[in-house]
Amino acid sequence: MTTNKKSEIDPRGPRFGATITSVLLLVVIWLSLDSASLPAALILFEVLAFLFALGAVLGTSRTPYAFIFRKLIRPRLKPPSYLEDSKPPQFAQGVGLFVTLIGLTLYFGGVTSGILFAAVAAFIAAFLNAAFNLCLGCQLYLVLRRLSSRN
Amino acid sequence: MVIGIVLTAAVLAGAVWLILRGRVRQSGSAEQIDLSTLGLPTGSFRGLGESATLFLFSTDFCATCPGVERAYLELLATRPWAKLIKIDLTNRNDLAVRFHVLQTPTTFVLNSRSNLVARIGGAPKLLALTKLLDDLAVGASHSYAI
């Protein structure tokens, strides 16, 4: 998940991705509320898990979101006032992948509301990133590592 | 209905975070920080500020740390009696546990005797930090005229 090569990215790129992610997660939440549309929620949620995996493995600058950002959004913006390291958002995509995988595991284990709960958790994180520029996964790296080192 | 509750919860969480983030919390105990545990040389270590030192704890996965560091360097540019020391916790879980650091960036403010006078979780409220630093300079009677 991590590479030694330090690469710098426009910080507005991951934020743009987080905006799309949070909208799609809201759609998942809405679809998962009705058992008739639950299969649709599952498909969209799986797509989101795949997108999180792309971001976590390849980095946030090689996702479809980043492609759209570069082609359509960035040409209309001023140059960024600063660049940021690509590692934190990539790590956060991994956290997003982890949360969506928990939801999918619960769903296929028979707990169909797992999708709703995981989508709510992921939505809050993506929304905080998009609206408040708070990278929850990054912020909590030390907490997450302490929890994982106990097991 | 559920969408509304989720959206409200997210906005509230963000608002609470904005309010709590970066508050300069003065430490009552003024614990003396043992510099050797941080791998810093003790004695007349030149990296410490004359009146105040900021310890900035970060990791490779901290998105806001470089910005906070830039803000500190700008703040300290006119305050030569204060210094900044960065401590990378990426591979130092022991230090994170020892100093109860649960988020990055976390900043410790030390006075001239290496006592912890305040800690800041998250990107700091710069006005409060500036005031504290200037108070420390006056307290140590190294007031600095611009």
Side-chain angles (χ1 to χ4, degrees), chain B residues 6-125:
Chain B
V6 170
L7 266 174
T8 310
V11 171
L12 278 180
V16 168
W17 173 73
L18 276 185
I19 292 166
L20 295 182
R21 176 201 73 177
R23 286 202 303 183
V24 178
R25 289 181 296 147
Q26 309 250 354
S27 149
S29 61
E31 170 198 6
Q32 186 159 30
I33 300 289
D34 183 358
L35 298 178
S36 61
T37 58
L38 292 166
L40 300 171
T42 49
S44 56
F45 174 50
R46 284 170 175 272
L48 292 182
E50 209 178 338
S51 303
T53 307
L54 299 176
F55 282 5
L56 174 59
F57 293 95
S58 71
T59 68
D60 281 354
F61 304 100
C62 173
T64 43
C65 291
V68 169
E69 187 189 343
R70 275 194 298 273
Y72 284 167
L73 290 177
E74 202 173 303
L75 187 65
L76 299 190
T78 53
R79 292 170 177 79
W81 34 261
K83 291 264 172 63
L84 170 67
I85 295 179
K86 284 188 299 170
I87 297 160
D88 185 357
L89 295 179
T90 311
N91 298 310
R92 292 302 304 271
N93 204 23
D94 56 318
L95 289 182
V97 173
R98 162 77 183 77
F99 293 107
H100 313 291
V101 177
L102 285 174
Q103 63 165 333
T104 53
T106 286
T107 308
F108 283 6
V109 184
L110 273 66
N111 66 11
S112 56
R113 292 176 301 282
S114 301
N115 294 325
L116 178 64
V117 290
R119 55 185 293 160
I120 307 164
K125 305 249 189 278

